[in-house]
Amino acid sequence: MKNQRSQQKSTAHVRKTWLLAALLAGALAMTGCYMEPDRIVDDTNGLTVADGGQQFDTVITPTPEVTATPEPSATDDTQQVDWSSWDFGNDTATDPPSNVINIGDAAATGGSVTVGLSTPTPTPGITASSDTLRSGSTGTAVKQLQQRLKELGYYTGSVDGTYGAGTASAVKEFQAANNLTADGVAGTKTQEAMYSYYAVTKKSSGTSSSSSSSSSSSSSSSSSSSSSSSTSTQYTNGKTDIYLKLGSSGAQVKILQNRLIVLGYLSGTADGDFAETTEAAVVAFQKRNSIYADGVAGPTTLTKLYSSSARKASAVVANLGSLKLGMTGSGVRALQTRLKELGYYTGTVDGDFGAGTQSSVIAFQQANGLTADGVAGKATLNLLYGSTGTGGSGGTAPETYGATASIGGYTSLTEKSGSVANVTALQSALSSKGYYSGNLDGNYGSVTSEAVKSYQTSMGLRVTGTAGPATQRLLYGGAGSSSSYSKLQMGSTGTAVRNLQYTLYEMKYYDGNITGTFDEATSNAVILFQQVNGLAIDGVAGVQTQSVLYSSAAIPNNL
């Protein structure tokens, strides 16, 4: 028994010894397996720890498994479109690959129309109507159709939303040029072709159109002239880093006018001359698009005008070209509206140039020293829409009034007026502020005029080149006596109102004629002045309002 217990103990001891030996061998084997710990700081690999967590300069992405791309099935080479040279980043459409077939290209399809690859890409922002449009149709879809036809050069009438004979004729002409059935009905195929990038323009003879008002960007992609002729109002983006105003002319003005026509502010044909009719359309565009309405098409106005977000007109404002007895349309309506505003026309604004409209035109021409022939030609329309036109309520153009204005001890200085002493003082003041570098000779020449313009621009005043009372007051730092101010309000008349109107004009709050009558336009200008200058807003030019207005502390309208 004793020997048996000894034998069992010996066996257990051996087992423990072997177990320990096995564990030791396993531990030694594992020492050869080393795994690098997570690195918190490793300068060589750009891994750092900062407040808030780790920052890694290099991200190591696992290599994906490579999967073989299946070979495409063989296809007819004639159906493959090579887009390798297509510039997708260009704002202006370029020619598509030669083997892209346009809708209606009967020659390329052997007399049939293909779809799929041959379906034109629609112009961004403009979609074809799902409805068939024909003579008698009206509404937004028709107006859009007319605008597109005008862009392509087929339509020269008014964009009025009424599908009349002129629109039907333009559709027929477009259909014929684009190898479609020329029936004058704008069905689905006609509209798809019309709104595509590849629509054939009237002058392009089969090449793709590069004109699209809806694809215009906020910054100009082209500074070239619009290719419109007397029968085409094709629109191309213009420059946005320039100023176009009364007296400007050339290619950029023509582009501006074409865009205003496309948006429905003007009717007629662009002529490249920035006259009063164009100015009236610019003012209307500025008002509708919440831009300060001064009639000057500067960078802010032009950028908005050429953008896809430009708001369209609710009605045509003015017409480029002549209007006469028997004519109809939006241009005539604009003429009647303007004649009614000036007190010459009392009939219905119906867009029909009848005997009543003709008589009103004659009356306006007689009152303004024009040939009284009853035809609203370029000279008549420009005077009609310009500030120099004498309306039924009279008034003087601010430029004319400002040439001799004398307000609060300051009298206007111009190239034609002003004593040598006063002009020399003006030059000296401008020189001290860094605007004038010429001789202090008392000669109000072009150098002095440009210096005045520079000062007016920097101060936010109306840029005229004439050193009017407000310009001098801000330059010299003067103010009038408040004891001389009497309250001016609706119905007030006289010299005090004229001086108020011209001062508000200089400071860009008022744009009308200097009438001497405190009317709604004058009250609105006063309200805006009060808002900008932190005064009580009531539209009444009381003592406090005038004290600020006639001081060097007055803030011009820079909204």
Side-chain angles (χ1 to χ4, degrees):
M1 179 67 74
K2 184 177 181 181
N3 288 337
Q4 189 177 0
R5 289 198 189 102
S6 296
Q7 189 175 2
Q8 289 175 347
K9 287 182 180 179
S10 177
T11 301
H13 180 72
V14 171
R15 288 177 180 172
K16 289 180 180 179
T17 300
W18 278 105
L19 180 60
L20 289 172
L23 290 172
L24 180 60
L28 289 173
M30 292 182 67
T31 58
C33 300
Y34 171 73
M35 181 177 291
E36 184 179 3
D38 291 340
R39 290 176 292 172
I40 302 303
V41 178
D42 188 339
D43 293 335
T44 60
N45 283 316
L47 303 177
T48 62
V49 175
D51 293 339
Q54 296 181 359
Q55 298 176 344
F56 302 96
D57 292 338
T58 304
V59 177
I60 301 175
T61 306
T63 304
E65 294 183 5
V66 178
T67 303
T69 303
E71 290 291 330
S73 58
T75 55
D76 183 359
D77 290 340
T78 61
Q79 295 301 313
Q80 301 303 304
V81 181
D82 179 16
W83 295 97
S84 60
S85 62
W86 183 266
D87 184 0
F88 289 95
N90 196 345
D91 287 339
T92 304
T94 55
D95 290 337
S98 59
N99 60 339
V100 171
I101 303 171
N102 296 333
I103 281 184
D105 193 347
T109 61
S112 62
V113 176
T114 350
V115 294
L117 283 176
S118 60
T119 303
T121 304
T123 303
I126 299 181
T127 56
S129 170
S130 59
D131 299 327
T132 296
L133 303 176
R134 53 171 53 89
S135 293
S137 297
T138 58
T140 302
V142 175
K143 194 170 185 179
Q144 178 177 291
L145 181 81
Q146 292 170 326
Q147 288 173 339
R148 183 57 175 161
L149 285 167
K150 194 176 274 284
E151 291 174 42
L152 296 174
Y154 295 97
Y155 183 65
T156 58
S158 301
V159 180
D160 54 10
T162 299
Y163 201 121
T167 305
S169 177
V171 170
K172 282 184 182 180
E173 193 174 1
F174 170 82
Q175 290 169 326
N178 287 266
N179 296 313
L180 297 164
T181 302
D183 56 5
V185 177
T188 303
K189 288 184 178 180
T190 295
Q191 291 187 59
E192 284 179 351
M194 190 180 300
Y195 292 116
S196 74
Y197 280 126
Y198 317 130
V200 177
T201 66
K202 186 169 183 176
K203 294 186 66 179
S204 64
S205 300
T207 59
S208 64
S209 171
S210 62
S211 168
S212 175
S213 66
S214 63
S215 62
S216 59
S217 61
S218 61
S219 60
S220 170
S221 63
S222 169
S223 60
S224 62
S225 168
S226 167
S227 61
S228 63
S229 66
S230 60
T231 59
S232 173
T233 52
Q234 191 170 345
Y235 162 66
T236 303
N237 268 3
K239 295 180 179 179
T240 59
D241 58 348
I242 57 177
Y243 287 86
L244 300 175
K245 57 184 179 180
L246 278 176
S248 298
S249 61
Q252 292 301 316
V253 174
K254 201 168 187 179
I255 295 171
L256 166 79
Q257 292 171 327
N258 276 323
R259 181 58 170 161
L260 289 168
I261 290 172
V262 167
L263 293 175
Y265 292 90
L266 279 174
S267 62
T269 303
D271 57 14
D273 293 327
F274 197 119
E276 285 78 4
T277 46
T278 301
E279 183 184 50
V282 170
V283 168
F285 172 81
Q286 290 170 326
K287 289 180 178 179
R288 187 157 177 78
N289 288 270
S290 302
I291 301 171
Y292 174 65
D294 59 359
V296 176
T300 299
T301 298
L302 292 173
T303 298
K304 183 68 174 179
L305 181 69
Y306 297 138
S307 74
S308 58
S309 62
R311 296 186 66 188
K312 296 181 179 180
S314 57
V316 168
V317 176
N319 182 77
L320 297 173
S322 296
L323 298 171
K324 56 186 178 180
L325 189 66
M327 297 183 73
T328 59
S330 58
V332 177
R333 280 196 294 273
L335 170 69
Q336 292 170 328
T337 299
R338 182 58 177 159
L339 287 168
K340 185 179 280 286
E341 289 173 356
L342 296 177
Y344 291 98
Y345 182 67
T346 58
T348 302
V349 178
D350 56 6
D352 184 0
F353 199 122
T357 304
Q358 184 183 50
S359 297
S360 300
V361 171
I362 291 173
F364 173 81
Q365 290 170 328
Q366 290 174 335
N368 288 274
L370 298 168
T371 301
D373 57 4
V375 176
K378 189 171 184 177
T380 297
L381 290 172
N382 285 334
L383 193 62
L384 184 71
Y385 289 102
S387 57
T388 56
T390 302
S393 59
T396 304
E399 296 88 349
T400 303
Y401 186 86
T404 57
S406 182
I407 304 171
Y410 296 100
T411 301
S412 292
L413 302 175
T414 71
E415 294 182 10
K416 297 180 180 180
S417 64
S419 66
V420 172
N422 287 341
V423 174
T424 301
L426 174 70
Q427 292 171 332
S428 178
L430 289 168
S431 177
S432 67
K433 294 182 181 294
Y435 295 96
Y436 180 73
S437 58
N439 296 325
L440 304 181
D441 55 8
N443 177 29
Y444 201 116
S446 60
V447 177
T448 302
S449 178
E450 288 303 315
V452 170
K453 288 180 180 180
S454 295
Y455 176 73
Q456 289 170 329
T457 299
S458 68
M459 296 301 293
L461 294 164
R462 193 176 298 275
V463 180
T464 62
T466 295
T471 298
Q472 293 182 59
R473 188 178 302 110
L474 267 62
L475 181 65
Y476 296 132
S481 172
S482 61
S483 61
S484 62
Y485 303 139
S486 57
K487 184 165 70 173
L488 301 175
Q489 55 191 342
M490 290 290 286
S492 298
T493 59
T495 301
V497 176
R498 282 191 286 271
N499 290 343
L500 174 74
Q501 290 172 329
Y502 185 71
T503 302
L504 290 168
Y505 168 81
E506 276 196 275
M507 304 195 76
K508 299 195 333 190
Y509 291 98
Y510 178 75
D511 293 308
N513 281 356
I514 310 303
T515 62
T517 299
F518 198 113
D519 53 12
E520 185 177 359
T522 306
S523 179
N524 289 337
V526 170
I527 288 173
L528 187 55
F529 175 80
Q530 291 169 332
Q531 288 176 331
V532 173
N533 286 266
L535 300 168
I537 301 171
D538 57 8
V540 174
V543 173
Q544 184 182 18
T545 295
Q546 292 183 64
S547 294
V548 176
L549 179 65
Y550 296 122
S551 75
S552 58
I555 302 172
N557 181 15
N558 288 312
L559 296 179

